[in-house]
Amino acid sequence: MGEFKVHRVRFFDYMPSAIRTMAFNSQTERLAVARADGAVEIFNFNDNFFQEKVIPGQDGRAIEALCWVGHRLFSAGLNGEITEYDLENLRPQYTVDAYGGPIWTISSNSQGTQLAVGCEDGTVKIFAILEERIQFQRNLNRHKGRIISLCWHPSSAQIAAGMTDMITIYDAETGQATRRLLVDRAMGASKNKEVVVWSVGYLSDHTIISGDSAGKVQIWNGLTGTLVRTYLVTKWDVLSLIINASQDESSVIAGTSEGTVIQFQFISSTLDQHDKEWVRTRTFRNHSHDVSALAHTDTAVVSGGMDTQLVVRPLLDKVEKNTQESALRKIAFPHRSLVGCAKKAGLLLFQFPDRLELWKLGENFHYVHTGKPGDRLPVKRKPEKLIELKRKGEDHICCSALSACGGWLAYSTVSSVRLYRIQYNKTISINKVPKLPKELRSVHQLCFSSDSSKLFASSCQSSVIVVAVSQQECRYLHTLKHKTGEWKARMHLLCASDDGKWLATANTDCEIHIYNLHKMKLHCMVPVYNSCPTTIAIHPVTNNLISVHADQQIFEFSLVQKEYTQWSRRLQTQGLLSLWLERDTPITHITFNPKNPDHIILHDTYMFCIIDQSLPFPELNAVLWNQMTLKNLPVSQRIGQSHAFKICKIFQHLMCVSLLEDLSLVVVERPLLDIMSQLPAPVRQKKFAT
Amino acid sequence: MAALYEGYTLCGLVPDQNLSSSGIQGIEEERDRDHVVVTDSTRSVTLYKVSDQKPLGSWTVKQGQKLTCPAVFNSQTNEYVAVTDNKVIRIWKEDDILLDKAFKATVSSDVWKVHCTHGGEPVVLFQRGAVRLLDSLLAAPQQPIEEVLAQEETIRWSTIIVAETQQFIIITTEQKGEHFLYLQRLNPNSVQRYRLEREEPGLSPLSFSAIYKDKHICLLYLYPNGHMYQSVLSVRGLGTEEGVQALPLPRSLLLGLPVGDGQLEAASAMALDEAHVAVVGVPHPSAGGGKDFLCIWNTNFQTLQAGKEMAGKIYGQLWSYSNKVFIPHGKTLSIIPFECPKSSLASALGKLKHTKTEESKTPNSVPSWNNILHGEKAQPSKTAETRRTRTTRKSQSTTNLTTDQVLELIKTAPVEEIQKEVEGFLTRSEFQDLQPSVGQLALTLVSRSLADPAFYSSSTLAQLVHTRCLCHSVCPDLVLLALEKKDYFLCQLCLQFFPDIPEAVTCACLKAFISMPDVDAEKVSLEPNSVTFMENLITRDRAEAGLQNGFSPTSSVVNDRQTRAEDKKKASAPSQLICPVGLHKAVLINEILQTPYSDTFLLPHLKDLSSQNVMLFLQYLQFLYLKYSQDAFPQMEGFRSPSLSQIMDWVCLLLDAHFTVLVMTPEAKGLLLNLHSFVKSQVRLVSELGKIEGSLQQLHKMKAKESIGQYSIEIIELF
């Protein structure tokens, strides 16, 4: 296969935001995760935990709680507003001010007709959920002190509200407080510190379960108002607590500041006994920091917190052991590329929520070709940050693009698109292109044509806007639509072919459309596969479309013949190795080798792979990662042993792998340790012998 | 004053048949001052470590290929760059064995030379005058190379000079008998052409040398008629007009060297610093017509500072790196260290007197142990002096007493007067010139004392010893004389300062010290530092004898069953830790312990000690060992004190010398058992250290793994 010069880049200091809260929709199997910067991410648990949607954040939008009502997603935050999201166009649909100060919690009743929010001023406000909006109904009786947590009784007749030092039970009809449960403060020195009930749960048998800042999980009888059981689970706070409400309500999990998740189950404590009780059963320790968000699916515990990772921990009594299903998953990086690469100019564009950074790669001494594999070449010129572009406005950047020549840069927020012309003379000048066509307003994905003359933008209503960019002006050309009038899922992937003839788009409904740019109309549609494409690319020589899906399948589709290629059919017949299919991070980027059309380069977080289409597929019992074996073989025997998948695991935590025009690889790494080291210190824990 | 020191040979040469060239193309400095790369005129490149006179590596090109430019070392990438057959650039690393497998690139035009400054990027100079940075050249090796020089113009010499941060290439060319100079600035590139003034018709410069000083480049060139000119080129204001037009280059005559009969043929001049020039192949003014001399001239005073005759033919080649001149002559390449202190007229003249007396009177140079042991500098060689300077020196007169006069005085005068005069003499003289005269003074003093038992001047001798210019071999009788006169202070000084006391004398001192009654010893005044050390050791013993708590090394050392009883006795009787000898006696013995010796020579003399002396000495050593291994090790900063290993070595030596006697002596039994346990504990310590050695080495290896950092360019291979 040969040697590659690799630019190993570690200066992309991408820092994910802490997970604040999450909500799981058991009907659609979607998990909504809100981050501290206000971004909301939707994960599809049916499709290999693929992050299918990201609603970019906004300054000042501090989401404290999320709530699904059917297919609708609501959030409430410390800015005092309730927001409903447009999940197709990935932006807030509307916001309603609750006029009660910061909102700490939001909860809907089981019928999905009413929303209750808990406010700083001590009121619980009820909103009616209407077709297109929500409407304020009334306040429950007001109490002194803020409402921190809320939970509806499944019958929708009562609401339990966690406050400081107590839990109040309201009658949802009358709005009167029917019962008040006093929560003990912590023992010892913090006796005079008030205790905050961070989280409550209300079961159909009127059991109330609470987690509080004194580290207790308490089980109450809601009918009598008596304390049934107290579990002291941590020295610090129990921050979150959730019941598997969609099932039999027999399991509760609680997340603590120590990073542990503790499961309680309603089971009989001894065998053959029928009277069940709540028993502390399992402890999961997958986080280093606060666990502030939890979700309980049928088969797994999902947790997230300060350490920014989403952890899916299957419950081993609910899944088959030693399968892919039973594996622990940690989702640390977004399932889309935040790095743009100008292959001709050797530039890298890093996308942050609040800024873009344009870097020029370094250079080694030209004549040092004497390096052996594994060598580090002396660097003649260090990489250089050319531009740091701060975004305007309070909306975070949702997508960005850099043209292959490096001369154009575009980014978009939910409200606007900006296009810049960058000139590299002796100094670098960046000029905003004024007067963009008004069609370019809200886009989800941006992409330049390879000759940098056109900008494609996926817009709302599943259309693609084509804009011609040149020195003089920026002119609207055309809007590509596949079916007029039909309201479809938004495009999340865009890809133009090198010869400028084709444009491929993919949407979250798993559809891939091909447009002919010469005729400016739809060419064909790729047969729909039941897993969402994670990345697509058009081969520069053969004009075949390569698509990789969330379930790790790879397809090659001939645009000319409008059918899957022989190679793709062979791959499907033979099947991919299970080791390939069981990888838990999606392929997020594909590039091609301009010198060898047989090579397809793709990467996920933990490896990059060069697929050589001229080589046979590995046998089902073959070793997928066979580089070490090949290395130790004499050259003559390598041919017989090698197969199409050349996997390199030297570089880890990859954000981008790309091949420059001079055939050197660019590898952008973001080691998890670097992210960890930037997190605030975790709560102090007594460790043995410290 | 500049001086040439004794040279040494780096390697042999293979000059061609008619001895016209030395067989060396060039010598370039490698990674540091101590490494050079020598390129011979045919096929091989050798890396030498200069101080070891040893080749570290050698590379040879294939038969039929020829190195056409000296290899240079690129310290940025740790690679060597050379050119073969004018057009092939080769780059290799130190661990590459075969040159043919190393990187090579063929360029489109003939290369004259590759130049590289330390820490800079290599620069390729083409025969037609074009200049390229190596890196940019190799990015496209076949790029067209422009012609800078006119037709029939050829390069004669070139060099690279760093002026501040700017690199300059200087090229001299010849075209139809006229000589030109190009000053080429790199990055941004600009070139200026100068025309050298004509010397007598038919004469072209023999050698060039350039040096950067005071923001100007000084160019030095030597003509066959012995005229050495200097031209000063400004670094600034270059490149306004491209140098098609040749500016006349002003010059000034720096030196008119004597040429003897005929004209110079193979001669070379090289600027060593601002004021000194090394010249080779020019006759010595006072040594007739032979031209095989290496001379250092001071250009400020136009004086000859040092000269040295080189055996064999001189090829007119000369290099100089870090105060060493590299000169091929005959069949060897010699390295001659030199020194060019800042020259001033006063220092040059003040020096004259001393060198003269030294030369005329002192017996052949006295070996200086300090120099040989510590290698501060090699002995200055006998330098050839010019007749003129010799006569000027003779006319100098002095008012103070010279060495000879002091020597005469010592033979007759009373003690007090001698003391005064010697003191005066010592304060007057410079340290460097002191050594021979001090030896003579001491020798005369000792011989007079030996001849005349009534005469003994302790303080004068002590003063002389204190200069540290004396050693035992200069006046062998001094120590014994001091012993005889019971001048223990002088003995101590001698033991401290003489690095070459024979074992027999050491032993004699030891015997005298041990058998000396304590009462006598306390009367002696000794060197205060060592006394303080010993005092500390003993008083601490008294103060803290009963205060051992926790871990006690004595008990761990003596944990054998056999020694249990002994141990108990020791614990009950703290007298064990009382010093067995008096304070001053101990100080003197400490001095013995610290003198260097060789055990084979010492052993027979040690056997002469009586068994009582051996017992006492061993007891004292045991005391020291216990003190050292006890509590905080008392070896205090700034005090001269014997080390633990020295003590152990002496214990072993004594036991070796007197083992049978000691075994037979009943009193020695306890002592022997104790000493046995010491040795055992030492052995255990060493074996424990041996055990952790592996782990420590592993630790060392781990550290070597470098961190990745923010950015790197790596090579990977996929199969």
Side-chain angles (χ1 to χ4, degrees):
Chain A
M1 173 123 275
E3 291 180 11
F4 288 92
K5 191 172 93 178
V6 181
H7 295 268
R8 187 175 199 172
V9 170
R10 291 190 162 204
F11 46 76
F12 179 23
D13 46 353
Y14 164 72
M15 189 65 203
S17 190
I19 293 177
R20 193 67 211 88
T21 182
M22 61 172 85
F24 183 68
N25 188 334
S26 52
Q27 287 142 27
T28 58
E29 293 272 325
R30 300 292 202 278
L31 178 79
V33 172
R35 297 203 179 249
D37 64 355
V40 176
E41 296 163 5
I42 314 282
F43 291 86
N44 186 348
F45 274 42
N46 270 338
D47 194 6
N48 226 352
F49 306 96
F50 181 60
Q51 183 190 42
E52 49 176 30
K53 293 168 190 179
V54 178
I55 301 166
Q58 192 183 43
D59 286 351
R61 190 203 292 162
I63 297 176
E64 275 295 313
L66 283 172
C67 175
W68 287 98
V69 179
H71 291 271
R72 297 164 73 177
L73 180 66
F74 294 90
S75 80
L78 297 182
N79 55 1
E81 289 172 344
I82 306 169
T83 307
E84 182 177 356
Y85 292 95
D86 178 348
L87 292 180
E88 295 308 330
N89 291 316
L90 302 187
R91 53 160 120 176
Q93 200 162 6
Y94 60 85
T95 55
V96 171
D97 200 317
Y99 298 108
I103 301 174
W104 288 94
T105 175
I106 186 169
S107 176
S108 79
N109 64 357
S110 53
Q111 292 87 352
T113 54
Q114 283 179 319
L115 270 181
V117 297
C119 302
E120 177 79 9
D121 66 354
T123 54
V124 176
K125 292 172 193 281
I126 307 287
F127 287 80
I129 304 172
L130 306 177
E131 195 81 343
E132 287 288 304
R133 62 198 171 90
I134 56 170
Q135 192 175 43
F136 176 73
Q137 268 185 340
R138 62 198 162 88
N139 282 335
L140 302 189
N141 266 10
R142 187 171 165 241
H143 278 276
K144 208 170 162 224
R146 59 181 71 129
I147 309 285
I148 298 295
S149 50
L150 277 179
C151 189
W152 288 80
H153 186 264
S155 69
S156 306
Q158 281 98 22
I159 300 175
M163 307 171 68
T164 44
D165 287 334
M166 62 178 171
I167 301 165
T168 311
I169 301 174
Y170 292 97
D171 187 313
E173 287 297 315
T174 62
Q176 298 295 324
T178 55
R179 233 170 253 298
R180 189 172 293 179
L181 315 175
L182 292 181
V183 181
D184 283 341
R185 293 184 172 184
M187 301 301 284
S190 47
K191 182 86 184 156
N192 42 15
K193 228 170 81 183
E194 57 190 17
V195 56
V196 181
V197 180
W198 285 118
S199 191
V200 289
Y202 209 161
L203 306 187
S204 28
D205 64 353
H206 289 276
T207 303
I208 292 174
I209 302 180
S210 68
D212 58 41
S213 64
K216 302 191 295 286
V217 171
Q218 290 182 314
I219 294 138
W220 312 78
N221 186 330
L223 293 174
T224 58
T226 49
L227 179 64
V228 178
R229 190 76 204 258
T230 298
Y231 289 97
L232 187 65
V233 296
T234 171
K235 275 185 173 172
W236 308 91
D237 294 24
V238 175
L239 289 173
S240 48
L241 187 141
I242 199 124
I243 307 161
N244 63 337
S246 63
Q247 274 181 300
D248 52 358
E249 296 185 340
S250 66
S251 166
V252 164
I253 47 174
T256 69
S257 291
E258 286 173 354
T260 52
V261 174
I262 296 147
Q263 189 188 17
F264 298 86
Q265 279 176 292
F266 193 58
I267 47 174
S268 43
S269 53
T270 47
L271 220 62
D272 306 330
Q273 261 185 330
H274 288 293
D275 41 337
K276 294 183 173 178
E277 55 180 331
W278 285 98
V279 182
R280 175 177 170 167
T281 51
R282 296 189 183 101
T283 303
F284 309 114
R285 193 181 291 275
N286 297 315
H287 294 276
S288 57
H289 289 69
D290 293 358
V291 177
S292 46
L294 280 177
H296 200 317
T297 72
D298 293 351
T299 58
V301 169
V302 187
S303 53
M306 278 297 282
D307 63 1
T308 76
Q309 296 187 26
L310 186 69
V311 177
V312 182
R313 175 71 165 81
L315 293 166
L316 292 180
D317 52 347
K318 301 280 173 56
V319 295
E320 207 174 311
K321 274 180 197 135
N322 297 328
T323 59
Q324 194 191 354
E325 239 193 338
S326 66
L328 175 80
R329 262 171 198 267
K330 288 192 174 189
I331 301 171
F333 292 111
H335 290 168
R336 60 200 173 120
S337 191
L338 297 180
V339 180
C341 178
K343 294 175 185 173
K344 290 176 189 157
L347 300 172
L348 288 179
L349 177 72
F350 298 145
Q351 179 189 329
F352 296 87
D354 59 336
R355 65 183 193 276
L356 296 172
E357 284 182 7
L358 187 66
W359 287 74
K360 185 160 183 58
L361 286 171
E363 210 177 296
N364 63 310
F365 289 94
H366 277 303
Y367 60 86
V368 185
H369 298 301
T370 50
K372 291 183 287 295
D375 273 4
R376 208 164 287 172
L377 302 180
V379 175
K380 178 185 173 193
R381 189 166 49 74
K382 289 202 171 130
E384 177 186 11
K385 191 201 276 186
L386 302 179
I387 293 169
E388 182 172 326
L389 187 64
K390 290 249 163 47
R391 70 168 150 81
K392 294 280 188 301
E394 54 184 10
D395 290 320
H396 292 181
I397 295 172
C398 71
C399 63
S400 60
L402 180 68
S403 67
C405 62
W408 296 95
L409 190 160
Y411 77 85
S412 159
T413 65
V414 291
S415 53
S416 67
V417 179
R418 276 158 200 270
L419 177 66
Y420 294 89
R421 169 97 182 118
I422 308 170
Q423 272 153 321
Y424 309 87
N425 298 327
K426 271 176 190 158
T427 56
I428 291 150
S429 63
I430 176 163
N431 295 305
K432 183 170 181 285
V433 178
K435 285 191 246 156
L436 291 186
K438 63 180 185 305
E439 286 82 0
L440 273 184
R441 244 203 352 263
S442 167
V443 305
H444 304 124
Q445 196 65 34
L446 289 163
C447 167
F448 284 97
S449 64
S450 62
D451 60 354
S452 310
S453 67
K454 293 194 186 79
L455 172 67
F456 308 106
S458 86
S459 179
C460 50
Q461 280 144 36
S462 173
S463 58
V464 177
I465 293 163
V466 185
V467 173
V469 289
S470 65
Q471 295 288 82
Q472 294 81 31
E473 56 166 2
C474 176
R475 189 162 48 88
Y476 167 77
L477 287 181
H478 195 77
T479 301
L480 298 169
K481 282 186 184 168
H482 48 89
K483 276 172 201 162
T484 41
E486 197 175 332
W487 210 75
K488 270 291 189 178
R490 53 129 215 162
M491 312 282 187
H492 73 298
L493 296 170
L494 276 183
C495 157
S497 69
D498 259 15
D499 58 7
K501 189 177 178 191
W502 308 106
L503 178 75
T505 67
N507 63 19
T508 41
D509 281 352
C510 310
E511 294 170 342
I512 302 175
H513 294 96
I514 315 291
Y515 296 92
N516 185 328
L517 290 174
H518 292 173
K519 297 179 185 160
M520 285 293 180
K521 65 177 205 186
L522 183 70
H523 175 67
C524 67
M525 191 173 146
V526 179
V528 176
Y529 181 67
N530 62 6
S531 178
C532 191
T534 59
T535 181
I536 53 174
I538 299 175
H539 197 290
V541 179
T542 60
N543 272 345
N544 290 339
L545 176 89
I546 312 279
S547 65
V548 185
H549 297 259
D551 64 355
Q552 311 292 3
Q553 290 293 345
I554 306 168
F555 294 99
E556 190 187 34
F557 185 82
S558 165
L559 300 188
V560 185
Q561 270 132 30
K562 300 192 187 177
E563 61 179 20
Y564 285 120
T565 61
Q566 276 304 316
W567 184 82
S568 182
R569 287 167 203 273
R570 273 195 291 128
L571 182 62
Q572 290 307 314
T573 336
Q574 187 152 0
L576 285 156
L577 289 191
S578 60
L579 260 178
W580 177 270
L581 297 174
E582 282 166 14
R583 289 176 306 108
D584 61 354
T585 49
I587 300 284
T588 49
H589 190 62
I590 300 177
T591 46
F592 300 96
N593 187 342
K595 285 282 150 63
N596 188 341
D598 282 337
H599 288 178
I600 306 168
I601 302 160
L602 26 78
H603 81 93
D604 68 7
T605 306
Y606 297 102
M607 59 104 206
F608 77 84
C609 173
I610 300 183
I611 296 180
D612 190 335
Q613 289 184 304
S614 64
L615 287 177
F617 299 116
E619 300 290 326
L620 279 181
N621 54 359
V623 187
L624 180 65
W625 191 68
N626 62 350
Q627 289 294 310
M628 285 315 272
T629 336
L630 290 178
K631 188 180 179 182
N632 296 327
L633 278 177
V635 182
S636 51
Q637 290 174 33
R638 277 183 196 158
I639 294 291
Q641 291 282 320
S642 55
H643 57 68
F645 290 80
K646 315 283 183 190
I647 293 176
C648 171
K649 295 185 183 176
I650 299 171
F651 312 106
Q652 295 269 291
H653 305 125
L654 298 170
M655 303 291 287
C656 175
V657 173
S658 197
L659 194 67
L660 296 183
E661 208 161 56
D662 65 349
L663 297 187
S664 55
L665 277 168
V666 181
V667 166
V668 181
E669 285 180 295
R670 179 61 178 162
L672 274 184
L673 269 181
D674 291 4
I675 293 180
M676 286 299 179
S677 65
Q678 286 185 31
L679 293 174
V683 293
R684 213 190 106 70
Q685 285 175 51
K686 172 79 181 159
K687 291 256 173 67
F688 177 71
T690 52
Chain B
M1 183 162 115
L4 288 166
Y5 298 120
E6 199 59 67
Y8 46 93
T9 305
L10 187 65
C11 62
L13 299 179
V14 193
D16 52 2
Q17 270 82 21
N18 52 3
L19 286 177
S20 60
S21 88
S22 67
I24 287 190
Q25 254 190 75
I27 300 175
E28 292 282 339
E29 197 168 18
E30 214 244 15
R31 66 199 90 159
D32 57 19
R33 294 160 159 258
D34 205 19
H35 291 80
V36 291
V37 190
V38 178
T39 310
D40 78 6
S41 50
T42 51
R43 284 168 48 218
S44 68
V45 177
T46 315
L47 166 66
Y48 284 98
K49 185 165 165 64
V50 174
S51 58
D52 293 354
Q53 306 168 41
K54 196 174 92 177
L56 297 181
S58 172
W59 300 271
T60 313
V61 295
K62 262 196 207 151
Q63 192 89 38
Q65 295 174 334
K66 191 169 185 296
L67 285 165
T68 52
C69 115
V72 296
F73 179 70
N74 180 358
S75 56
Q76 283 181 338
T77 56
N78 287 332
E79 287 171 328
Y80 302 93
V81 184
V83 177
T84 54
D85 300 330
N86 289 321
K87 276 187 177 157
V88 185
I89 296 179
R90 290 170 181 263
I91 297 171
W92 71 95
K93 283 191 190 263
E94 193 181 345
D95 41 349
D96 290 339
I97 299 163
L98 292 175
L99 265 193
D100 286 311
K101 293 199 176 160
F103 172 81
K104 52 186 134 179
T106 308
V107 294
S108 58
S109 178
D110 282 359
V111 176
W112 165 257
K113 245 179 192 181
V114 180
H115 287 288
C116 184
T117 58
H118 195 77
E121 201 184 316
V123 178
V124 182
L125 171 61
F126 289 91
Q127 286 191 355
R128 301 312 303 155
V131 171
R132 291 279 189 283
L133 283 175
L134 181 62
D135 188 37
S136 62
L137 175 65
L138 290 185
Q142 285 297 326
Q143 59 185 274
I145 304 296
E146 73 276 7
E147 296 218 344
V148 175
L149 303 187
Q151 290 275 292
E152 292 177 45
E153 189 173 7
T154 48
I155 299 184
R156 288 284 170 236
W157 172 84
S158 67
T159 192
I160 188 165
I161 272 208
V162 180
E164 280 137 24
T165 56
Q166 192 81 52
Q167 292 195 5
F168 288 91
I169 297 273
I170 301 172
I171 310 167
T172 59
T173 61
E174 184 176 2
Q175 183 189 18
K176 295 172 189 158
E178 281 212 83
H179 291 267
F180 296 97
L181 182 134
Y182 290 81
L183 183 58
Q184 167 105 36
R185 172 163 46 187
L186 294 172
N187 227 348
N189 285 18
S190 63
V191 67
Q192 182 61 56
R193 189 176 187 222
Y194 297 95
R195 180 198 308 274
L196 299 190
E197 268 179 61
R198 278 189 187 232
E199 192 64 14
E200 298 163 37
L203 290 189
S204 41
L206 279 175
S207 84
F208 292 91
S209 155
I211 186 170
Y212 176 71
K213 69 175 183 193
D214 301 335
K215 303 189 172 151
H216 288 91
I217 294 173
C218 266
L219 186 75
L220 215 68
Y221 41 108
L222 178 70
Y223 281 95
N225 57 6
H227 287 186
M228 191 190 289
Y229 292 99
Q230 174 179 279
S231 295
V232 178
L233 297 162
S234 170
V235 172
R236 300 253 172 76
L238 193 68
T240 41
E241 60 224 282
E242 282 295 289
V244 188
Q245 208 170 1
L247 300 174
L249 185 65
R251 66 179 186 184
S252 55
L253 183 63
L254 207 59
L255 280 174
L257 295 172
V259 289
D261 326 321
Q263 288 185 332
L264 302 175
E265 280 154 9
S268 181
M270 165 167 263
L272 299 177
D273 63 10
E274 284 103 358
H276 292 93
V277 180
V279 181
V280 74
V282 176
H284 197 284
S286 58
K291 287 176 182 167
D292 38 7
F293 279 92
L294 169 67
C295 299
I296 296 183
W297 288 80
N298 184 320
T299 53
N300 288 349
F301 309 127
Q302 310 213 342
T303 51
L304 178 60
Q305 300 258 304
K308 193 175 180 67
E309 187 166 1
M310 307 306 302
K313 186 181 158 63
I314 297 282
Y315 303 98
Q317 282 180 310
L318 192 61
W319 292 271
S320 161
Y321 297 107
S322 61
N323 281 354
K324 290 183 195 76
V325 173
F326 294 74
I327 172 168
H329 61 100
K331 292 195 171 181
T332 48
L333 170 63
S334 285
I335 297 174
I336 296 163
F338 66 88
E339 189 186 44
C340 290
K342 208 170 170 71
S343 53
S344 71
L345 194 56
S347 77
L349 293 177
K351 188 90 176 173
L352 292 176
K353 180 195 73 197
H354 293 295
T355 27
K356 189 209 147 199
T357 44
E358 213 174 288
E359 219 172 30
S360 53
K361 283 287 186 180
T362 44
N364 254 350
S365 62
V366 182
S368 156
W369 277 99
N370 274 335
N371 288 351
I372 290 166
L373 281 182
H374 309 302
E376 283 154 356
K377 53 192 93 133
Q379 197 67 21
S381 62
K382 235 178 99 185
T383 52
E385 303 280 333
T386 64
R387 208 167 285 150
R388 190 157 22 112
T389 43
R390 232 179 255 177
T391 43
T392 43
R393 283 174 196 181
K394 262 185 190 150
S395 59
Q396 298 275 323
S397 66
T398 49
T399 47
N400 289 316
L401 291 180
T402 61
T403 326
D404 303 338
Q405 286 163 315
V406 177
L407 285 176
E408 284 307 311
L409 200 74
I410 287 171
K411 282 180 188 153
T412 50
V415 175
E416 291 76 23
E417 197 178 330
I418 293 174
Q419 197 176 332
K420 205 179 103 203
E421 281 307 324
V422 169
E423 204 175 328
F425 177 76
L426 289 179
T427 47
R428 277 199 308 276
S429 318
E430 280 175 47
F431 179 74
Q432 247 114 29
D433 323 317
L434 213 52
Q435 203 204 338
S437 27
V438 165
Q440 281 177 309
L441 290 178
L443 213 54
T444 333
L445 267 174
V446 170
S447 55
R448 182 174 171 198
S449 306
L450 286 174
D452 174 10
F455 174 85
Y456 183 69
S457 167
S458 165
S459 59
T460 314
L461 283 172
Q463 219 166 20
L464 289 175
V465 174
H466 256 302
T467 60
R468 305 203 179 196
C469 291
L470 275 185
C471 55
H472 184 81
S473 32
V474 170
C475 52
D477 299 326
L478 178 60
V479 185
L480 292 175
L481 175 74
L483 271 184
E484 195 183 307
K485 299 280 182 191
K486 300 212 164 145
D487 185 352
Y488 294 117
F489 177 56
L490 186 62
C491 279
Q492 191 191 13
L493 286 184
C494 293
L495 286 169
Q496 263 186 32
F497 294 133
F498 291 4
D500 59 339
I501 295 184
E503 283 77 1
V505 180
T506 316
C507 247
C509 288
L510 178 65
K511 215 190 275 181
F513 293 160
I514 294 182
S515 48
M516 150 176 64
D518 269 333
V519 196
D520 285 3
E522 298 309 314
K523 287 180 200 156
V524 185
S525 70
L526 289 173
E527 208 252 324
N529 243 357
S530 50
V531 178
T532 328
F533 166 73
M534 213 44 219
E535 252 171 0
N536 278 343
L537 200 68
I538 291 171
T539 47
R540 182 198 295 248
D541 164 38
R542 277 177 200 148
E544 294 174 17
L547 286 179
Q548 289 175 40
N549 52 356
F551 173 74
S552 150
T554 34
S555 58
S556 85
V557 160
V558 194
N559 61 353
D560 238 11
R561 203 176 347 144
Q562 292 163 304
T563 50
R564 280 276 160 75
E566 214 65 37
D567 196 18
K568 267 182 213 152
K569 205 164 83 191
K570 206 180 289 170
S572 58
S575 62
Q576 199 75 14
L577 272 181
I578 282 175
C579 185
V581 295
L583 173 66
H584 283 200
K585 209 161 153 176
V587 171
L588 289 171
I589 295 176
N590 282 352
E591 221 58 69
I592 297 273
L593 296 182
Q594 290 165 75
T595 48
Y597 63 86
S598 137
D599 29 3
T600 19
F601 295 122
L602 191 61
L603 260 182
H605 299 292
L606 271 184
K607 290 203 164 121
D608 296 346
L609 288 178
S610 71
S611 64
Q612 278 80 26
N613 284 351
V614 172
M615 280 291 289
L616 187 63
F617 192 25
L618 274 179
Q619 272 163 6
Y620 176 65
L621 288 172
Q622 184 194 9
F623 163 78
L624 275 185
Y625 177 82
L626 284 176
K627 288 312 284 183
Y628 272 44
S629 49
Q630 230 175 37
D631 39 57
F633 179 48
Q635 208 167 24
M636 282 154 284
E637 286 289 314
F639 288 116
R640 237 176 92 84
S641 56
S643 70
L644 191 64
S645 60
Q646 278 172 335
I647 295 168
M648 280 316 280
D649 287 347
W650 273 93
V651 170
C652 297
L653 270 174
L654 272 181
L655 288 177
D656 278 353
H658 291 273
F659 192 67
T660 29
V661 182
L662 285 172
V663 170
M664 304 300 282
T665 319
E667 305 91 77
K669 199 183 169 196
L671 191 65
L672 282 181
L673 284 171
N674 281 347
L675 293 175
H676 174 66
S677 64
F678 297 168
V679 176
K680 229 165 99 179
S681 77
Q682 288 281 323
V683 168
R684 198 169 333 130
L685 177 71
V686 170
S687 78
E688 292 295 323
L689 286 175
K691 273 184 211 161
I692 61 168
E693 192 184 13
S695 327
L696 291 176
Q697 267 174 356
Q698 206 56 42
L699 215 67
H700 201 69
K701 270 183 211 158
M702 276 161 63
K703 266 184 193 160
K705 199 178 167 187
E706 52 193 320
S707 67
I708 293 162
Q710 292 263 290
Y711 179 74
S712 58
I713 302 177
E714 297 175 15
I715 301 277
I716 60 162
E717 187 174 15
L718 289 178
F719 299 98

